Amino acid sequence: MKQMLINNFFKIIEHTQENERAIFIIELNKNHPIYEGHFPGSPIVPGVCSIEIMKECAEFYLNTSLYYDSIEQCKFLSPIDPVKTAFLTISLQIISLNENEYSISGTILNQLTHCVSIKSKVKKKA
Amino acid sequence: MIELSKPLVSFPEILEYLPQRPPMVMVDSYYGSFNDEAYTSLYISRDNILLENDELSEMGMMDFLAQSGIVQMGNMTFITEFSKESKMGVICQFKNFKFYSKAKIGETIYGKVNKTFSNETMASLDVEAFTESKILLKGTINAMIINNETDAD
C-alpha cells in the first residue's frame, strides 16, 4: 500500500484505541518541500494535507487503500505551524457502512486546540 | 461566455493573486469573471508535487479549487475596492465535496468558481473541477476575507 504523505510528510508515532475512536500521535516533517511554497518563510500545513493525513491514518487502521467519495464538511479552525508544532493528535471515528464504504469523522488536535475537523465518506480502492 | 482558450492572467503573473509559491501553486491560468462566475485552469505537469500514480491526487484537485477561489476573491476585491488595501481569501470550510474522477499528467483541468454570497468579511463559492470530457470534483468553499497588506498612505 503506497501512500502520499505517510513516512514522508508525517509519521505515526503511536496508535491507540479509545472507546470507538482510533487515536494517532503523529510527528510532522518540518523540512518537507511542500513548505517551500506554503508559505515561504512562514510554513503552514496545507488544509488539503490535513485531509490526506486523516485518510492515511484510516488506511493504516483498516490496513487497506481508500479514496474519498465525499466530504460532507471539513472545517479549518486553526493553522498548524510545523516548526512550532512537531506532534499532533488525530482522533478518528471510523464506521463501516458496508463491505466497501466507511464514514470517517475526525479531528486534528494541537494539544487541546482543534485545528481541523472532518465528516466524510471513503471507499476501498479496487 | 468566458473564452477558455485565452487566459487573462497566466503564470507567473498569477502569483500576484496567490500567497502560495512553487511547488504549491495549483492554478496557472485565470480566464476572467462573468456574472460572479470565474474560470481557472491548471496543466498537470510531471513535476507537480501532488501527483499520485501519474494522476493529480485528491489533495491536488481540492487545492486547485481552493486556489481558484482565492484567485477569484482576490480579483473581485482588487476590482471593486477603491482603497489601497490588498485583500486575500482564507479558506475556512469545505462543504459537500463530491469526488467523481481524476485527471492525468498532460491533461489540463479547469475550475469554475461561482460566488453565491459575499460581504466585506466572508464569501461562499460553489466550485467545480472538470476536464474537456468529465467532471472531477464539485463542492462549496467558505472563505474569510482578510487584509493582507495595508498601504500606510
Side-chain angles (χ1 to χ4, degrees):
Chain A
M1 183 167 61
K2 187 173 180 293
Q3 296 168 301
M4 285 192 71
L5 299 184
I6 199 166
N7 298 328
N8 182 8
F9 188 81
F10 78 102
K11 60 183 176 184
I12 294 173
I13 303 298
E14 188 181 321
H15 164 230
T16 57
Q17 181 87 22
E18 289 181 15
N19 299 320
E20 302 214 335
R21 300 191 79 86
I23 310 293
F24 302 85
I25 307 297
I26 68 163
E27 182 178 7
L28 296 170
N29 171 15
K30 66 182 179 184
N31 297 314
H32 195 279
I34 277 178
Y35 296 119
E36 291 172 18
H38 200 279
F39 299 98
S42 303
I44 296 291
V45 176
V48 296
C49 292
S50 301
I51 294 172
E52 177 71 14
I53 285 170
M54 289 192 272
K55 187 188 77 178
E56 292 189 12
C57 285
E59 290 177 325
F60 180 89
Y61 177 79
L62 296 167
N63 193 28
T64 191
S65 295
L66 303 168
Y67 65 93
Y68 277 110
D69 174 71
S70 59
I71 296 174
E72 181 184 336
Q73 183 167 265
C74 183
K75 291 182 180 177
F76 305 104
L77 302 165
S78 180
I80 303 166
D81 178 341
V83 177
K84 294 178 181 171
T85 305
F87 299 96
L88 295 168
T89 302
I90 317 292
S91 172
L92 300 178
Q93 185 174 40
I94 303 169
I95 298 172
S96 176
L97 302 174
N98 58 48
E99 192 178 338
N100 295 309
E101 293 185 352
Y102 300 87
S103 78
I104 297 179
S105 299
T107 56
I108 297 180
L109 295 111
N110 175 9
Q111 297 183 346
L112 295 177
T113 303
H114 285 245
C115 299
V116 183
S117 69
I118 196 168
K119 288 182 183 175
S120 64
K121 188 164 81 175
V122 298
K123 292 183 176 180
K124 283 185 184 176
K125 283 184 181 173
Chain B
M1 286 293 293
I2 301 292
E3 175 54 70
L4 292 185
S5 63
K6 295 176 183 173
L8 290 179
V9 183
S10 297
F11 190 89
E13 288 77 20
I14 203 156
L15 296 178
E16 293 176 22
Y17 297 84
L18 287 168
Q20 287 85 355
R21 291 293 177 267
M24 280 300 286
V25 175
M26 292 292 145
V27 175
D28 57 27
S29 294
Y30 173 70
Y31 296 87
S33 175
F34 181 76
N35 286 346
D36 291 335
E37 196 168 89
Y39 289 85
T40 59
S41 69
L42 171 70
Y43 174 76
I44 304 173
S45 59
R46 188 164 293 281
D47 63 353
N48 189 302
I49 198 168
L50 298 182
L51 290 180
E52 182 179 34
N53 300 325
D54 292 343
E55 294 176 324
L56 189 65
S57 65
E58 295 161 344
M59 279 192 293
M61 289 195 294
M62 288 187 284
D63 221 29
F64 166 65
L65 287 179
Q67 292 185 27
S68 295
I70 290 170
V71 168
Q72 166 60 355
M73 289 171 64
N75 186 62
M76 180 174 86
T77 305
F78 294 148
I79 287 172
T80 59
E81 295 288 329
F82 290 95
S83 69
K84 291 185 177 179
E85 291 178 349
S86 167
K87 297 191 176 185
M88 189 67 71
V90 176
I91 306 300
C92 55
Q93 186 182 38
F94 289 166
K95 206 170 176 185
N96 298 327
F97 269 38
K98 175 71 178 174
F99 297 81
Y100 296 95
S101 189
K102 287 186 175 177
K104 295 182 177 176
I105 292 171
E107 288 189 280
T108 296
I109 64 171
Y110 297 92
K112 183 168 78 174
V113 179
N114 183 14
K115 185 183 63 169
T116 56
F117 167 80
S118 71
N119 60 25
E120 287 188 356
T121 57
M122 293 185 65
S124 187
L125 310 167
D126 285 346
V127 293
E128 181 178 328
F130 58 97
T131 65
E132 290 178 354
S133 62
K134 60 191 176 185
I135 294 171
L136 307 175
L137 172 62
K138 282 184 176 181
T140 298
I141 290 173
N142 292 324
M144 293 185 296
I145 301 168
I146 59 168
N147 290 331
N148 186 41
E149 186 180 326
T150 303
D151 192 323
D153 292 338

